[in-house]
């Protein structure tokens, strides 16, 4: 009887994970589709020059935001989740109140920073001071974005997943509705108003949904806000520094590629990396939205952390592996659809990255525990070392094997990173993967590796025939295991019946 209850609880847990991943996976796909449509309109209405101006504005604003936001949009999820896990409405209300005061501070800090730096931003971005006033106008977007982030943290930390999904979907839709008419009417002159209105619309939508969360009124002084939010800001600062470090490594690597292979090689690398991070990487975004708050809520219990990490890892691998086999076999076709024939030179680079994504998933589910436990020093040391050998491996492999070498470096980097985070988690928290995860991971890794080998050693119809067989084998195995874990047939039938009512 006890075993039956345990199996039911496990199935329920797996089902919640799958449900959340499916929900945000759908939102991610929708956002990508809207972004593709939006990019097409922007390219037509603004042309390459206008597209470039918008990109320069966004890059400069994002850089300042990375520094001034203190990573609150990520770190604060832990505090809200932990408070929510207690069920104490007073603690929840106090934590949310502290968060909302902090995002006002950091948002105003960002606004003032952009105003003060506007001449420098104009000069460094455009080579003159003509864009100083537009940057001053854009400063308000940092306040709006930070306030929006605060509202979304409340939804994520309180695990109001449906509201968060609606918030994201409506926000990206409004972005399209606002952008296209303004660019059509005003062209390049509509870029700044569009960015401000998009930021404002996102904040309003997030506020509408976040205000549904029932809280008690709490008075918190500035001194208390700083004292209680110190841990939140410390972890956020570590995450912000990690982001800045990552941007620096990316800039250094692209500069090195340009110096050796030219701008065309940089373009191929950018295109391939975008496919891996934006399209394949949507699995990680979909998972992280629910996974992080769940892990943060039980961060003090190592055994529960282990259970959640293993369960999330299993679901992640079972969803990711079939996607990777499809990408490996049909990547040339996907490149032609997304870009053009001239980008096919990035194919082998992307194939090696697909292998690396398996190790990225395994390492990624572990690395979240450092953030969930608010281990800021450990987190920054871990990320600093990872970025260091990422840059070194990439430079060495690019020098030896060109663009293909960058793909090999990507796979090698995440293999090393996987070993690194596992050893740290084992030493610090006695973490081990259970037999179920290891069986699933090794089985799917083998299928992905065989698929990659087939693509490398065969050509033409034979490649597509054998590759399609591997895709089917990988997909069927994933389906059968998912059915065993969550009762997928029963789950789908329940959704269909609910829809027919």
């Amino acid at each position: 009887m006890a075993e039956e209850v345990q199996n039911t609880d496990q199935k329920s847990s797996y089902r919640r994970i799958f449900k959340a991943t499916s929900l945000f996976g759908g939102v991610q796909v929708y956002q990508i589709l809207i972004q593709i449509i939006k990019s097409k309109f922007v390219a037509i209405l603004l042309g390459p020059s206008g597209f470039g101006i918008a990109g320069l504005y966004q890059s400069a604003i994002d850089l300042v935001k990375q520094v001034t936001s203190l990573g609150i949009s990520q770190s604060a999820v832990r505090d809200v989740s932990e408070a929510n896990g207690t069920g104490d409405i007073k603690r929840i209300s106090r934590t949310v109140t502290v968060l909302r005061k902090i995002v006002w501070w950091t948002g105003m800090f960002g606004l003032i920073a952009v105003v003060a730096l506007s001449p420098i931003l104009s000069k460094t971005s455009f080579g003159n001071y003509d864009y100083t006033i537009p940057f001053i106008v854009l400063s308000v977007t940092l306040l709006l974005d930070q306030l929006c982030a605060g509202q979304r943290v409340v939804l994520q930390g309180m695990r109001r997943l449906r509201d968060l999904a609606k918030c994201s979907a409506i926000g990206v839709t409004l972005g399209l509705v606002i952008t296209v008419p303004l660019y059509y009417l005003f062209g390049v002159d509509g870029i700044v108003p569009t960015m401000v209105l998009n930021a404002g619309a996102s904040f309003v939508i997030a506020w509408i949904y976040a205000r549904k969360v029932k809280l008690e009124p709490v008075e918190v002084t500035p001194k208390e806000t700083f004292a209680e939010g110190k841990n939140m800001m410390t972890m956020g600062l570590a995450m912000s520094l990690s982001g800045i470090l990552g941007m620096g490594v990316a800039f250094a690597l692209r500069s090195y590629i340009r110096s050796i292979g030219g701008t065309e090689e940089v373009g191929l690398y950018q295109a391939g990396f975008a496919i891996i991070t934006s399209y394949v990487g949507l699995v990680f975004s979909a998972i992280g939205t629910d996974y992080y708050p769940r892990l943060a809520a039980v961060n003090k219990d190592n055994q529960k952390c282990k259970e959640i990490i293993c369960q999330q890892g299993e679901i992640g691998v079972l969803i990711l592996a079939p996607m990777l086999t499809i990408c490996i076999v049909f990547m040339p076709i996907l490149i032609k659809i997304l870009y053009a024939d001239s980008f096919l030179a990035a194919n082998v680079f992307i194939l090696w990255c697909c292998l690396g994504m398996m190790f990225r998933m395994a390492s990624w589910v572990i690395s979240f525990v450092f953030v969930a436990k608010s281990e800021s020093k450990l987190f920054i040391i871990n990320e600093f070392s990872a970025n260091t050998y990422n840059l070194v491996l990439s430079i060495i492999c690019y020098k030896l094997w060109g663009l293909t070498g960058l793909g090999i470096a990507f796979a090698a980097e995440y293999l090393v990173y996987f070993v690194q985070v596992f050893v740290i988690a084992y030493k610090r928290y006695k973490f081990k993967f259970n037999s179920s995860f290891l069986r699933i991971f090794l089985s799917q890794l083998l299928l992905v590796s065989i698929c990659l080998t087939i693509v490398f050693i065969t050509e033409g119809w034979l490649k597509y025939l054998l590759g399609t067989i591997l895709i089917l084998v990988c997909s069927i195995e994933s389906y059968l295991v998912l059915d065993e874990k969550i009762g997928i047939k029963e789950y789908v039938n329940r959704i269909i019946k609910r829809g027919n009512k």
Side-chain angles (χ1 to χ4, degrees), residues 423-453:
V423 170
I424 293 172
Y426 173 75
K427 294 285 187 183
R428 206 166 183 89
Y429 317 120
K430 303 302 179 187
F431 171 78
K432 288 182 182 179
F433 280 119
N434 59 30
S435 58
S436 177
F437 172 84
L438 290 173
R439 184 174 63 252
I440 290 169
F441 177 72
L442 293 174
S443 172
Q444 295 293 325
L445 177 63
L446 178 62
L447 289 172
V448 170
S449 301
I450 293 171
C451 191
L452 187 65
T453 304

Side-chain angles (χ1 to χ4, degrees), residues 253 256 390-402 405-406 409:
L253 180 57
Y256 179 76
N390 170 28
L391 183 61
V392 172
L393 279 172
S394 296
I395 289 174
I396 292 172
C397 291
Y398 181 68
K399 196 168 184 178
L400 291 173
W401 302 296
L406 292 173

Side-chain angles (χ1 to χ4, degrees), residues 162-175:
R162 286 192 176 277
D163 285 344
L164 186 58
K166 290 175 184 176
C167 183
S168 300
I170 295 171
V172 74
T173 305
L174 268 182

